[in-house]
Amino acid sequence: MSSTKSIAVCLVAIFLSSSLFAQNIWLADTAEYIGLEYTKASFKGPSDASFFSGVFHVYGSKRIGRNLYLNVDVPILNLNDDDDSETSFGNVQVGLKLGTKKPSTYGKIAAILPTVDEDKPSAIGRGFLTDPLRIEVVMPWAWGLIAKINHEQKLNNKGLYFKVNGGFVFFRDTKSVSQFDEPLENYLFADYMLQFGFLSTDNIKFSAAVEGRTGINDVVSEVFFGKRSAYMADLGVSYKGKHIEPGLLVKIPLSDPFKDALSNTVTFSLIYHFGSNDSLY
């Protein structure tokens, strides 16, 4: 059995036994910041997992040139229930953003580093189900690259804006040749998102988006349990003080098999902006 099939079987087992993860969609893309994010999944059916079973992200952005930023994202996967307790780093991402500020258009390229602990399958499985559109965060032995472009622009002077984002995620299973004496497997996805938002005069931001991921090559259908694509609807709200921005984001699955077992995911975040005026608005 190939490594991909082994992992898929493991994830299916966890999916069934459970009854049945970065940037925030409202985060200003020209900001210097450091943030903490926690995402928890709500399943259709009983679950004995603790509240803090999910995916944490510690991330930040630092300006290193006029329009050049260094980005780092460190995920942490956690599962704690009546039968098991596991914690593992996810795959760390290190990348660069280059673009303009007003309107905000930028390109991003990032490296995916294989920092997942392959001996923590329960934490990996929980992480996958918590954030199925970012499997590169939880895939063991994965080296890869992310290349995306983003554009954000005001629609009027009353706080309405839109954001579009798209690009490719590639990663490679680098250990299957030694583990199973089979060819290495490559994964290539196309990601895309359309978001509309509103920033009120008292700095409360509301957002709504639809995001998706489609597998480009044949092997990726195993990741989505035989499906080529997966989609989610996003609803977010945040409050921006001078430097501090707490936020709440709810994602609702729109496609099988996730919508049959997953009610939603909820993300809590807290961002510290080093600049007090880093928004388009």
Side-chain angles (χ1 to χ4, degrees):
M1 182 182 290
S2 71
S3 62
T4 304
K5 291 181 179 177
S6 299
I7 293 168
V9 169
C10 175
L11 292 174
V12 169
I14 294 170
F15 186 86
L16 294 175
S17 66
S18 300
S19 299
L20 136 143
F21 38 148
Q23 286 185 343
N24 301 288
I25 63 170
W26 59 79
L27 183 61
D29 293 316
T30 56
E32 288 186 287
Y33 55 83
I34 186 169
L36 173 65
E37 176 179 295
Y38 170 61
T39 301
K40 177 178 176 57
S42 176
F43 298 102
K44 294 178 178 178
S47 175
D48 56 3
S50 71
F51 179 83
F52 289 108
S53 292
V55 180
F56 296 83
H57 285 267
V58 180
Y59 50 79
S61 177
K62 175 65 178 176
R63 186 194 303 270
I64 57 175
R66 182 178 178 183
N67 291 309
L68 185 65
Y69 297 82
L70 173 67
N71 285 342
V72 178
D73 182 356
V74 181
I76 301 169
L77 318 174
N78 184 63
L79 173 65
N80 191 334
D81 60 24
D82 292 343
D83 300 318
D84 206 355
S85 179
E86 288 187 349
T87 301
S88 171
F89 282 108
N91 289 325
V92 172
Q93 296 178 16
V94 179
L96 296 172
K97 288 195 304 186
L98 176 64
T100 60
K101 189 166 184 177
K102 294 184 179 181
S104 174
T105 301
Y106 77 89
K108 173 185 177 182
I109 186 167
I112 302 167
L113 308 180
T115 50
V116 169
D117 186 347
E118 62 187 270
D119 296 323
K120 300 293 180 64
S122 296
I124 292 171
R126 188 73 179 197
F128 172 72
L129 294 173
T130 301
D131 199 349
L133 295 192
R134 288 194 288 182
I135 189 177
E136 66 276 8
V137 171
V138 303
M139 193 74 168
W141 321 323
W143 289 87
L145 288 172
I146 299 171
K148 294 186 178 182
I149 189 166
N150 185 95
H151 179 75
E152 182 177 355
Q153 186 170 322
K154 292 192 295 185
L155 291 172
N156 59 29
N157 293 323
K158 297 181 180 180
L160 289 174
Y161 71 93
F162 78 94
K163 181 189 292 189
V164 291
N165 179 291
F168 297 95
V169 176
F170 168 82
F171 58 92
R172 190 174 196 184
D173 175 354
T174 59
K175 200 173 180 180
S176 62
V177 65
S178 60
Q179 287 288 96
F180 302 99
D181 196 26
E182 294 184 3
L184 299 178
E185 292 181 323
N186 299 319
Y187 297 80
L188 180 61
F189 296 93
D191 286 359
Y192 35 89
M193 182 188 73
L194 173 63
Q195 177 198 135
F196 290 92
F198 171 73
L199 180 66
S200 70
T201 55
D202 50 1
N203 288 329
I204 298 176
K205 187 183 291 186
F206 302 92
S207 63
V210 175
E211 60 177 317
R213 167 169 284 193
T214 296
I216 303 300
N217 55 345
D218 290 336
V219 71
V220 300
S221 64
E222 295 179 7
V223 172
F224 292 146
F225 304 99
K227 305 292 184 179
R228 278 278 187 176
S229 301
Y231 305 94
M232 301 192 84
D234 306 342
L235 297 171
V237 60
S238 69
Y239 170 74
K240 175 80 180 299
K242 185 176 181 180
H243 292 284
I244 301 295
E245 184 174 9
L248 179 70
L249 174 67
V250 178
K251 293 189 177 186
I252 302 168
L254 300 177
S255 56
D256 296 328
F258 303 107
K259 71 176 184 179
D260 292 330
L262 187 65
S263 296
N264 57 65
T265 66
V266 179
T267 298
F268 309 90
S269 68
L270 184 64
I271 302 166
Y272 179 84
H273 297 265
F274 292 103
S276 60
N277 186 23
D278 51 22
S279 171
L280 292 176
Y281 320 110

